[in-house]
Each structure stands twice: as structure tokens, then as C-alpha cells.
Amino acid sequence: MDDQLALRIRLFREGGQVPPEVVDFVAAELSSLEDEGHVVTEASAGMLTSHLMMALGRLLDGEPIQQFPTDDQIASELAGHPGAVARARAVSSRAERDLGAALPESEVNFLGMHLAVLGGRSGSVPAD
């Protein structure tokens, strides 16, 4: 993880935008990706980091996450990235187990897109 991504995580932690357990969860997921050989930097995972932090924070705060009109398009795009989809579902399962916050299908799709991009930059699609 580069210094810029570490700074993003630190700002979430210190800013109180999301509960500390969400910051810990997301940081652990990023470390896992990095341990598997993926390039986890601000450029490759900054948007993934913020999106997952905010989505899990909203779920823990009881805020609804609505479906998006682009859900079908995103699902279609993800058809070529089954590893990213599997990883996104696994992250959602861990979030439900560890935080009590399962990501809805819309968020799983967006997470899958982020993971597909990360995999493209790393040369392999994150799988779980």
C-alpha cells in the first residue's frame, strides 16, 4: 500500500466518517488483496476504498442503499469478470459476518467493478 492510500484510510479513521470497525475491515480487505500480489495503491484502489468505506458505513448507520438504474448494465459488464464478482460476494459475506452489514446486490456489483479494475491493473482478477 502506498503512502497516499494509507493517508486516505487514516483520514477516514481520524475523520469519524465511518465507524472504526469499518475502517479496520476495509484495511484488512486491502491487505488481503495486496498479500495475494495485487497492486494496491491510491491509483488502483482509492475509489474502491472510499466506496466500500461509505457503503458499509451507511449500512451500519441504518441508511438504505437504493438500486441504481445502471444495475443491469453493470451486471452485464461483470459477466466477463467472474473472479471479481466472486470476490465481491465474498467481501459482502465477510462484511455481514464481521460487521452485520451485508451489501445489497447493487453494491456488490459496484464492488465487483472496482475489483475488476484492480485486477486489470494487477494483471489478474481478484478471486476468493
Side-chain angles (χ1 to χ4, degrees):
M1 179 180 311
D2 65 1
D3 290 342
Q4 289 179 318
L5 186 58
L7 174 61
R8 181 185 293 260
I9 293 168
R10 191 172 78 236
L11 290 172
F12 270 104
R13 186 178 305 284
E14 293 172 358
Q17 292 175 295
V18 296
E21 61 268 24
V22 169
V23 178
D24 293 341
F25 178 86
V26 173
E29 290 293 326
L30 294 171
S31 291
S32 176
L33 287 164
E34 193 167 48
D35 290 346
E36 294 167 14
H38 299 285
V39 177
V40 179
T41 64
E42 175 66 21
S44 68
M47 293 305 294
L48 162 68
T49 301
S50 291
H51 191 121
L52 191 54
M53 292 264 194
M54 297 306 293
L56 291 171
R58 286 191 309 267
L59 286 169
L60 287 180
D61 283 343
E63 294 179 35
I65 297 181
Q66 298 180 17
Q67 296 236 336
F68 299 95
T70 58
D71 281 348
D72 290 338
Q73 286 177 295
I74 291 172
S76 176
E77 291 278 331
L78 286 171
H81 303 281
V85 173
R87 181 61 174 254
R89 291 195 191 293
V91 170
S92 180
S93 293
R94 284 190 291 276
E96 184 173 23
R97 182 192 68 215
D98 297 351
L99 302 170
L103 295 166
E105 192 65 20
S106 289
E107 291 298 327
V108 170
N109 286 340
F110 275 110
L111 179 57
M113 289 296 286
H114 286 298
L115 290 168
V117 168
L118 177 68
R121 290 181 182 195
S122 297
S124 65
V125 176
D128 196 55

